[in-house]
Amino acid sequence: MALIVQKYGGTSVGDPERIKKVASRVARFRAEGHRVVVVVSAMSGETNRLIALASQISSKPSPRELDVVLATGEQVTIGLLCMAMNELGVKAKSYTGSQVRILTDSAHTKARILSIDETPIRTDLQEGSVVVVAGFQGVDELGNITTLGRGGSDTTGVALAAALGADECQIYTDVEGVYTTDPRIVSEARKLDTITFEEMLEMASLGSKVLQIRSVEFAGKYKVKLRVLSSFLEEGEGTLITVEESGGMEQPIISGIAFNRDEAKLTVLGVPDRPGIAYQILGPIAEANIDVDMIIQNVGRDGSTDFSFTIGRADYERAMEALAGVKEHIGARSIAGDTSMAKVSIVGVGMRSHPGVASRMFRTLAEEGINIQMISTSEIKISVVVDEKYLELAVRVLHKAFELENPATRGLTGAG
Ligand code: ASP
Ligand code: MG
């Protein structure tokens, strides 16, 4: 008998039929003798609908009131799911985030969980109830309703699993698990049986949307056994996120390819090559609260140099505005921008022990005539920025070059 936390995403509870299906799945786990805590998202599309509704009232709604509105989506689902379980003769009890007391900080719309009072849940479980908790929401110290940011129900699930010391946290979604890359782009993309936390973190922060990045951080920190699987299939082990690398010859070099279409590049041309320049360019960007991703500064010649960096495309106009004063101030020649950039990244812990991964990546792109505009690396990741029109081609040829379609090799063969 195990204690399991199951989180069901929006599509898994998208309509009454789906909710009934979830109820039967939970009932099955109960019948096997497991204790189950369920975390649910709002029905699919509901959070977007609520955001749109708010925007029709105000272009800049108070974050506190926005959270009051957004939290209702999940409240509907917990009630409906409990009713569906009652219909099956299963005892079930629902809780909103503030009822469980998922205590968060007061950063409305992106709050962080501080603590969870799991005592009432334990009591209910002891009495044989399934406990159903609203994802994505909590309450701050003053009793204000908070939400955890888009995709936040994943984090609620993992945090509850950590607080309860659950044997496993299962994240149910509409795909079979974590894939080598997006199957909509590469039809040979394959579901992974396992992936390490480190890799999953990179994949999540690089654009793979299976899990909210914070939930992966949380699970890694508290050693929660985390599994991603489909609620649309009766069978299947999904993908287990592991702490350990499988190691040895079996360790694939590359586990997955992540990508992000929405990048923009800014270049400040002809800046004087002297201390403080990077700060003078990026300071105003930081003040405008814009995240900078890759940064490249060329080596200066004739005392001047070019300075490029990438940001999210949505921030492009604001970034240009922030830089307007900078040009005169530091005496740069001009500022250039390009909003049709994309980032492609290969991720794998096996990179650590295999030289030549970068050269294989660059050769593969060169053979297709794809120009690399920027490069950045970490121990287990290599990212390149390319023109957006080459994105899908780049993902496809890299998937092939590293043999990701083949579980037996996954990049182990071929010259470096
Ligand atoms: N309903 C919220 C969203 O759509 C939270 C979640 O589904 O995880 O972002
Ligand atoms: Mg989600």
Side-chain angles (χ1 to χ4, degrees), residues 41-42 47 74 136 150-153:
S41 287
T47 307
E74 273 72 10
F136 174 60
R150 299 307 303 269
S153 298

Side-chain angles (χ1 to χ4, degrees), residues 116-264:
I116 295 181
D117 176 11
E118 85 288 359
T119 341
I121 298 181
R122 286 200 196 281
T123 311
D124 292 331
L125 289 172
Q126 221 120 48
E127 289 167 2
S129 262
V130 171
V131 175
V132 181
V133 179
F136 174 60
Q137 54 178 269
V139 64
D140 74 1
E141 225 170 334
L142 299 169
N144 299 301
I145 293 171
T146 55
T147 65
L148 310 179
R150 299 307 303 269
S153 298
D154 294 338
T155 302
T156 307
V158 173
L160 271 169
L164 291 161
D167 295 290
E168 186 164 306
C169 180
Q170 304 174 339
I171 306 279
Y172 286 92
T173 173
D174 51 6
V175 293
E176 231 185 299
V178 180
Y179 279 71
T180 49
T181 195
D182 189 336
R184 283 171 299 192
I185 289 187
V186 182
S187 56
E188 293 84 18
R190 218 170 31 76
K191 191 213 67 162
L192 297 164
D193 292 333
T194 63
I195 185 169
T196 69
F197 275 110
E198 271 182 297
E199 290 169 326
M200 196 61 227
L201 260 185
E202 290 280 12
M203 294 289 276
S205 56
L206 291 167
S208 154
K209 295 192 175 56
V210 209
L211 288 173
Q212 196 196 33
I213 179 162
R214 233 187 249 175
S215 73
V216 185
E217 286 168 1
F218 219 103
K221 187 164 163 196
Y222 293 97
K223 307 260 179 298
V224 173
K225 192 174 167 197
L226 188 60
R227 192 185 291 278
V228 176
L229 60 187
S230 168
S231 71
F232 290 76
L233 299 173
E234 291 303 317
E235 312 256 308
E237 299 288 297
T239 301
L240 182 66
I241 326 260
T242 60
V243 183
E244 293 284 307
E245 303 173 19
S246 51
M249 290 298 287
E250 298 296 307
Q251 182 64 55
I253 300 174
I254 300 302
S255 290
I257 301 176
F259 57 86
N260 185 3
R261 293 176 195 281
D262 309 315
E263 307 258 331

